[in-house]
Amino acid sequence: MSVVLQWCMRRILALLPRHHILMETRPISSPQPLLQPGDKRPRLESPLPPKRGKKKKKTPVESGSSEDVISREVVALLGKEVVDKAEADGNEWESPFGFREEVELTVSSISSSGEGLALAPSSKGAWVVVVPFVLPGEVIRARIYRQAKMYSFADLISLEVSNSELRDMNRVKCKYFGTCAGCQYQMLSYETQLNLKRNVVVKAYQNYSNLPESGIPAIQPTIPSPLQYGYRTKITPHFEPPPKKVQKQGPSTSEEGKPPWLKIGFNQTGRRVVMDIEECPIATPVLNETYAPMRDNIAKEIYKYKKGVSLLLRDSLEIPGGNSPTATTQLGDKDNHVCITDHKATVRERVGDLLFDYQAGSFFQNNNSVLGPLTSYVRDAIFPPATSDPPSTTPPPPPTHLVDAYCGAGLFALTLAAHFTKVAGIELSADSIRFATHNAELNGLAHKVSFRAGDAAQIFDAVGDFPPERTALVVDPPRKGCDEAFVRQLLAFRAQTVVYVSCNVHTQARDVGQIVSWSAEETAVGGEGKGKYVLESLRGFDLFPQTAHVESVAVLRLVS
């Protein structure tokens, strides 16, 4: 091939959109695609490298984001002095690896996102490689596909030496595991998963709280999920429309069933490319029962779609006359489970003896089996059991009032309402507040629970009659955590007990560190009467078994 022709081919490939690039040459439906020792992964076509001559724009990283978390863990692995020197020399973005270069590595640790971290060979200098589906101590071969600050991302090619103490591929229950981005830990025992998640909480408070070691209590064992498979009550498969060439040609007369180019499912790990997935073993049974015929219907109607679609399947109790079911599974004597696929339809869940209705497209925890233990834990944190030993100081009186910030459909406000005289909840979403108010009426609690729509930072304006010394505050914010305005208002109010529930332990650690340190600073400069917060306990909850995700509950108490 001539030099000119080679140049032209490279330019054509560089102009192709990413979703047209072939990402995987083997059939993704083959069972247990993750490698066994000695196996070699078929060649992957990695994303194209950036054009030469243009430097990557280095945008600020948001605190507590996945990029920020892995960056801090890379610093911890390399050592701060090493990274500081690289920054001083201006080569922290200069990877020692070429695009698609293959390298043999020994995995050092697992990141908080469930990926393996491996030091580059000594000949490459101080650098880290991030590889999915590998475990500490394993020797692997990997192929580099993207560079970042002081680290590179790589695909797993082969597993040369396995960690036989941790890895057992017989535990894997999904034929897409190792390619699908949804799960990271199916090859591990559940006990190991819980231990890893406890370690995520430990690292988060080391890296983000800015608290001294003496100010962080011993991290308690992670609370397990009653279900490790078949627990997820919401899935969102997606698919792309027919390629433009296919749209112009129309369906082939010989084409039967689902076209080979149609992929309905979830993203491949590390890529924005849809895998064709027929079922998800962590989803509840009724979702999988609905998903199969839904896939068939999409295949029949695919030529009508001009844009990509993100589907919604949500497990719900049947509401008589209230949510048109698409499939039904009988569980027990009283509850029929149905699958809701309309974003605006109403979903119903039972938590303990209470019922919760909410709009299908809105937020609600996606593992119903663990909501009983979670809400009970929050209750016990607010009302700790009395100890047999006489206290050294007189304990404060138990709280009589509850404030539920970021209350959503009212999960904590309503499950805890029986223990309080008065409860107030606030949420930015007006639709969520409408359902929360409905749920208070549905469960006969409207006489003591009220909800309002608005910014959580303004919630304390609505509870001016709540005595702070008899008030408990539950905080359950989105992944970005609380802003400074909310923390300042929290400190001005000074509730006796604060229980911070979080889906992002890293932003939780940051916020808790601010609450503790700022309250101590205020007390030190003349606010002795207000008291300061101490972090009393910290514990993870496993809302998503088989994945690296961990929920966290921090309990803060006001002390004089």
Side-chain angles (χ1 to χ4, degrees):
M1 185 182 293
S2 70
V3 174
V4 173
L5 184 56
Q6 290 180 25
W7 182 86
C8 291
M9 290 298 294
R10 285 199 299 269
R11 294 297 298 159
I12 292 171
L13 288 173
L15 293 173
L16 285 175
R18 180 171 178 156
H19 64 270
H20 285 162
I21 301 170
L22 179 63
M23 294 296 177
E24 179 67 85
T25 58
R26 63 170 169 78
I28 59 175
S29 60
S30 58
Q32 293 191 9
L34 193 65
L35 306 176
Q36 298 281 9
D39 290 348
K40 188 166 183 178
R41 182 183 290 277
R43 180 171 295 275
L44 299 175
E45 293 294 335
S46 299
L48 292 173
K51 295 178 182 178
R52 295 189 178 276
K54 285 189 177 182
K55 283 196 173 183
K56 181 181 177 181
K57 187 177 180 181
K58 301 171 182 64
T59 55
V61 177
E62 184 178 352
S63 175
S65 65
S66 57
E67 184 179 356
D68 185 43
V69 171
I70 199 166
S71 178
R72 295 189 188 221
E73 294 184 3
V74 165
V75 172
L77 185 58
L78 292 174
K80 189 174 184 303
E81 291 183 359
V82 171
V83 177
D84 287 346
K85 184 178 186 305
E87 291 177 342
D89 295 341
N91 57 17
E92 71 273 24
W93 290 87
E94 299 298 325
S95 170
F97 296 104
F99 176 66
R100 297 186 69 186
E101 180 176 345
E102 295 187 10
V103 59
E104 184 168 287
L105 303 163
T106 299
V107 182
S108 299
S109 61
I110 295 183
S111 72
S112 294
S113 56
E115 297 160 312
L117 302 180
L119 290 171
S122 57
S123 61
K124 296 289 188 178
W127 202 260
V128 172
V129 182
V130 181
V131 188
F133 307 112
V134 296
L135 301 172
E138 293 186 330
V139 179
I140 63 170
R141 287 197 62 80
R143 182 182 293 115
I144 307 297
Y145 69 84
R146 184 155 62 89
Q147 320 291 3
K149 181 181 176 181
M150 300 301 299
Y151 65 97
S152 301
F153 291 96
D155 287 314
L156 175 63
I157 299 175
S158 61
L159 181 61
E160 303 296 321
V161 179
S162 172
N163 183 334
S164 57
E165 292 184 6
L166 296 181
R167 182 184 294 275
D168 182 353
M169 297 306 294
N170 291 321
R171 297 188 180 109
V172 175
K173 294 187 178 181
C174 179
K175 63 184 179 181
Y176 309 106
F177 180 69
T179 308
C180 175
C183 296
Q184 298 80 39
Y185 288 163
Q186 288 192 28
M187 70 290 206
L188 298 174
S189 70
Y190 193 48
E191 180 183 5
T192 299
Q193 294 184 36
L194 297 177
N195 289 336
L196 287 172
K197 295 182 183 193
R198 178 186 175 277
N199 195 43
V200 171
V201 180
V202 171
K203 290 189 292 185
Y205 274 77
Q206 290 173 345
N207 293 336
Y208 286 90
S209 72
N210 291 319
L211 294 175
E213 187 176 344
S214 60
I216 303 175
I219 312 300
Q220 300 177 57
T222 307
I223 297 290
S225 169
L227 296 176
Q228 285 94 59
Y229 282 92
Y231 66 83
R232 190 175 175 99
T233 55
K234 174 189 174 184
I235 59 173
T236 54
H238 47 280
F239 63 92
E240 297 295 329
K244 289 184 178 180
K245 181 180 179 180
V246 175
Q247 289 184 27
K248 289 180 181 179
Q249 294 175 345
S252 169
T253 54
S254 61
E255 188 176 276
E256 293 184 6
K258 188 169 73 66
W261 46 260
L262 176 58
K263 313 296 182 185
I264 308 171
F266 308 107
N267 284 358
Q268 291 185 31
T269 184
R271 294 173 173 80
R272 295 187 296 272
V273 175
V274 183
M275 289 179 58
D276 195 42
I277 291 180
E278 297 174 340
E279 64 177 354
C280 178
I282 66 172
T284 62
V286 72
L287 298 191
N288 279 312
E289 291 170 15
T290 305
Y291 181 46
M294 178 182 286
R295 284 170 49 85
D296 293 339
N297 290 334
I298 291 169
K300 293 176 183 177
E301 305 291 332
I302 187 59
Y303 290 96
K304 295 181 180 179
Y305 292 94
K306 304 303 179 184
K307 296 181 179 180
V309 175
S310 181
L311 305 169
L312 173 69
L313 293 89
R314 201 139 203 179
D315 193 316
S316 171
L317 300 183
E318 186 174 10
I319 306 173
N323 55 5
S324 302
T326 54
T328 301
T329 298
Q330 180 74 36
L331 293 182
D333 296 327
K334 59 182 178 179
D335 291 339
N336 284 335
H337 282 242
V338 300
C339 179
I340 302 300
T341 59
D342 181 353
H343 284 71
K344 295 184 178 180
T346 298
V347 173
R348 172 169 289 183
E349 291 197 35
R350 184 185 301 279
V351 180
D353 295 329
L354 302 180
L355 294 174
F356 290 86
D357 291 351
Y358 57 91
Q359 194 170 60
S362 65
F363 172 78
F364 200 83
Q365 297 286 7
N366 294 335
N367 181 350
N368 181 273
S369 75
V370 80
L371 294 186
L374 175 62
T375 54
S376 296
Y377 182 86
V378 172
R379 177 201 63 208
D380 294 342
I382 296 172
F383 300 97
T387 60
S388 56
D389 297 329
S392 56
T393 59
T394 304
T400 55
H401 292 64
L402 174 67
V403 177
D404 183 5
Y406 308 95
C407 66
L411 175 64
F412 291 107
L414 297 176
T415 55
L416 302 176
H419 306 281
F420 294 92
T421 303
K422 198 171 184 181
V423 178
I426 193 166
E427 168 63 48
L428 190 61
S429 167
D431 282 337
S432 292
I433 288 299
R434 178 169 57 87
F435 275 99
T437 302
H438 160 79
N439 291 334
E441 296 171 352
L442 180 66
N443 293 285
L445 295 168
H447 63 287
K448 66 162 64 177
V449 184
S450 62
F451 296 97
R452 57 171 287 186
D455 188 343
Q458 300 172 349
I459 189 172
F460 303 103
D461 295 341
V463 293
D465 59 331
F466 280 33
E469 71 280 1
R470 302 295 298 274
T471 298
L473 169 65
V474 174
V475 183
D476 186 11
R479 290 192 60 80
K480 65 179 182 179
C482 306
D483 59 22
E484 182 176 339
F486 177 81
V487 174
R488 293 295 184 189
Q489 294 236 0
L490 181 155
L491 293 176
F493 184 78
R494 283 301 205 279
Q496 180 63 41
T497 301
V498 176
V499 181
Y500 191 141
V501 182
S502 178
C503 61
N504 184 344
V505 66
H506 308 94
T507 53
Q508 182 199 57
R510 178 201 66 202
D511 296 344
V512 167
Q514 291 177 344
I515 294 169
V516 171
S517 58
W518 292 355
S519 68
E521 291 171 4
E522 291 179 1
T523 301
V525 295
E528 292 87 353
K530 290 185 175 181
K532 64 181 180 180
Y533 284 106
V534 296
L535 180 55
E536 183 178 275
S537 66
L538 191 55
R539 191 166 208 168
F541 272 77
D542 189 16
L543 268 71
F544 295 95
Q546 316 309 328
T547 80
H549 178 81
V550 61
E551 203 95 351
S552 178
V553 180
V555 180
L556 299 101
R557 207 81 68 179
L558 197 64
V559 299
S560 56

